[in-house]
Amino acid sequence: MVSSPQPPAPAGADIAQIRQAVAALCARFPGEYWRALDRERGYSRDFVQALTQGGFLGCLIPEEYGGSGLGIGAAAAILEEVHKSGCNGAACHAQMYIMGTLLRHGSPAQKQKWLPGIASGEVRLQAFGVTEPTAGTDTTALRTTAKRDGERYIVNGQKIWTSRVEHSDLMLLLARTSPRRDERRADGLSVFLVDLRDAVGKGVTIRPIRTMMNHATTEVFFDNLAVPSENLIGEEGKGFRYILDGMNAERILIAAECVGDARWFIAKATDYAKSRVVFGRPIGQNQGVQFPIAKAYAQSEAAALMVERAAQLYEGGRPCGKEANMAKLLAADASWQAADMCIQTHGGFGFAEEYDIERKFRETRLYQVAPISTNLILAYLAEHVLGLPRSY
Ligand SMILES: Cc1cc2nc3c(=O)[nH]c(=O)nc-3n(C[C@H](O)[C@H](O)[C@H](O)COP(=O)(O)OP(=O)(O)OC[C@H]3O[C@@H](n4cnc5c(N)ncnc54)[C@H](O)[C@@H]3O)c2cc1C
């Protein structure tokens, strides 16, 4: 997987300023805000609006289209800071990177039409329709079809786990435009921009899925949905490659969120271990309590270095599939270990809603499975980096 060149990230001081600005914004959305939404499975509209207005979600869009033209390192810093502050970027992180497919493979007319609105947040591109119930991780087995009919395509089929679609104006959709051939499995899939403002109720039905954490995810059904052929991105049949192109960015950014989560858990556990007194001394004086915190710290710092390395390669337009995958793997493991350690450090209080730990614990668990599961990253490293036989 080779990433496209990106403009360089701003110098260290600028990233530090971005972090400060994001932290200040996040301070306006404390634990109570997230807890109330979590109970109701509500969407964090005000938080998303604040990030949009701050220009953070358009940071990867080039300046000529109204974005700030920053590099992936800056985007990673923004999302890490969101998570380190106890907030959750899952409500909107896709607005940052889904547009990459349009930016790299869209026509000049498509970019001019859509990117300025996406950069300003006026047009929300939050939804990414890839996963299907029967295909699972085997994306090329997907069954949703788009059949050409004059100046439009007619879409039929079903997606699952399409997150944020109820809070999005556009969806990037991967559908089959010609039958799968075993010898060329990556061919025959195409990418479309679906304008949901025209489509819901006219060929698109959305059914929310309640999950263990607050994630605004859904099932989406397509029943003879008409999509104008001008909404096809790039060449027909090449869509799977276009989607793969964007995956390094997605992995780096999700990894940055995991690093942020890990840092939040570690800070929370450290503070508590210093102040909670049992048997006449702070619990953090016991090695049985302090070692897991120290270990989580070392793991999260190592993961952060890998995220940084992957981001540097990506920004330099160099191959970074190995590093982006390892960043995602290490960071998701670090945040999950830190989450477990944080509950353990807090004893019974770790389970109390008002501490926010059990909420963050549920939220960070997702990243062992999505957007790519840990096993599939290991399979990638085994096969493509170590040269072991393909296992599936
Ligand atoms: C909350 C949530 C939000 C999501 N949001 C989106 C979204 O917005 N858009 C979207 O398109 N998708 C989304 N997804 C889907 C997500 O990307 C998939 O769930 C994930 O890629 C795993 O696919 P699957 O669930 O089909 O698992 P499966 O492919 O069925 O796999 C099940 C288990 O088997 C393992 N496994 C499968 N094959 C192998 C193998 N060959 N070797 C070893 N282990 C294997 C997997 O690692 C996994 O643990 C979301 C999922 C969740 C839960």
Side-chain angles (χ1 to χ4, degrees):
M1 281 179 264
V2 180
S3 52
S4 306
Q6 292 278 309
D14 290 340
I15 295 257
Q17 280 167 358
I18 291 173
R19 283 184 183 275
Q20 250 176 18
V22 175
L25 184 156
C26 289
R28 289 165 31 209
F29 298 92
E32 296 92 287
Y33 173 79
W34 297 99
R35 258 173 262 147
L37 289 173
D38 185 61
R39 265 178 237 130
E40 305 294 323
R41 292 297 188 268
Y43 186 68
S44 52
R45 198 167 297 168
D46 295 339
F47 175 70
V48 174
Q49 203 171 9
L51 277 179
T52 306
Q53 281 165 356
F56 297 112
L57 299 184
C59 69
L60 291 173
I61 299 182
E63 283 172 293
E64 60 177 304
Y65 298 112
S68 29
L70 297 174
I72 196 106
I78 291 167
L79 290 176
E80 184 201 313
E81 210 58 48
V82 163
H83 280 248
K84 195 174 128 199
S85 307
C87 301
N88 189 353
C92 54
H93 53 205
Q95 180 86 2
M96 275 188 180
Y97 57 80
I98 297 181
M99 65 80 208
T101 303
L102 173 62
L103 183 63
R104 280 186 299 272
H105 305 288
S107 67
Q110 286 173 328
K111 290 197 249 190
Q112 211 52 61
K113 178 172 177 187
W114 299 111
L115 285 176
I118 296 169
S120 70
E122 196 185 316
V123 177
R124 296 163 305 163
L125 172 54
Q126 296 277 9
F128 195 19
V130 175
T131 309
E132 296 193 1
T134 53
T137 309
D138 185 5
T139 306
T140 63
L142 64 78
R143 293 184 185 172
T144 297
T145 55
K147 292 213 166 100
R148 184 89 191 213
D149 174 30
E151 286 310 299
R152 54 191 200 156
Y153 285 84
I154 303 296
V155 179
N156 281 290
Q158 185 196 344
K159 296 287 171 184
I160 194 166
W161 307 119
T162 315
S163 303
R164 301 164 297 273
V165 72
E166 297 165 291
H167 308 282
S168 193
D169 301 305
L170 301 176
M171 177 204 292
L172 197 72
L173 172 73
L174 187 66
R176 184 156 285 294
T177 39
S178 54
R180 175 160 116 154
R181 287 185 297 155
D182 280 344
E183 66 284 12
R184 305 207 54 158
R185 297 174 62 168
D187 288 353
L189 297 172
S190 303
V191 176
F192 299 89
L193 260 185
V194 175
D195 194 331
L196 294 160
R197 294 166 296 190
D198 298 336
V200 176
K202 291 186 223 153
V204 165
T205 307
I206 300 170
R207 197 179 295 158
I209 304 175
R210 196 177 163 91
T211 53
M212 72 186 237
M213 68 296 177
N214 185 14
H215 199 89
T217 197
T218 70
E219 283 179 289
V220 181
F221 300 87
F222 302 93
D223 182 14
N224 288 322
L225 170 73
V227 176
S229 55
E230 66 186 37
N231 287 18
L232 170 74
I233 309 278
E235 263 183 76
E236 189 182 294
K238 298 267 191 286
F240 185 59
R241 290 185 183 86
Y242 300 162
I243 296 288
L244 284 183
D245 255 9
M247 291 199 164
N248 289 333
E250 182 179 63
R251 281 170 205 173
I252 293 168
L253 294 178
I254 301 293
E257 293 189 338
C258 291
V259 168
D261 277 345
R263 288 180 167 160
W264 183 87
F265 286 120
I266 290 163
K268 199 93 178 157
T270 307
D271 286 350
Y272 190 75
K274 285 178 190 164
S275 61
R276 170 75 170 167
V277 175
V278 181
F279 296 114
R281 58 180 179 171
I283 56 167
Q285 201 177 330
N286 302 300
Q287 289 183 335
V289 174
Q290 59 181 228
F291 282 8
I293 306 177
K295 193 165 182 189
Y297 176 74
Q299 285 171 331
S300 65
E301 291 299 299
L305 283 176
M306 188 56 76
V307 175
E308 214 175 285
R309 172 87 187 122
Q312 278 166 357
L313 291 170
Y314 186 93
E315 282 178 9
R318 302 195 15 225
C320 65
K322 178 174 83 171
E323 290 78 7
N325 274 290
M326 289 195 293
K328 162 69 175 56
L329 175 80
L330 296 172
D333 280 353
S335 72
W336 181 231
Q337 291 299 320
D340 194 45
M341 169 283 288
C342 193
I343 289 217
Q344 199 67 21
T345 304
H346 281 76
F349 291 109
F351 298 87
E353 190 190 43
E354 66 172 291
Y355 280 70
D356 293 313
I357 297 163
E358 58 82 35
R359 171 178 62 81
K360 294 282 283 178
F361 177 92
R362 287 183 278 116
E363 288 171 358
T364 215
R365 180 63 178 85
L366 173 64
Y367 299 115
Q368 293 283 321
V369 170
I372 180 165
S373 73
T374 300
N375 273 3
L376 268 290
I377 294 185
L378 292 172
Y380 171 87
L381 294 174
E383 182 187 343
H384 296 283
V385 180
L386 302 174
L388 291 164
R390 185 178 172 85
S391 61
Y392 56 94

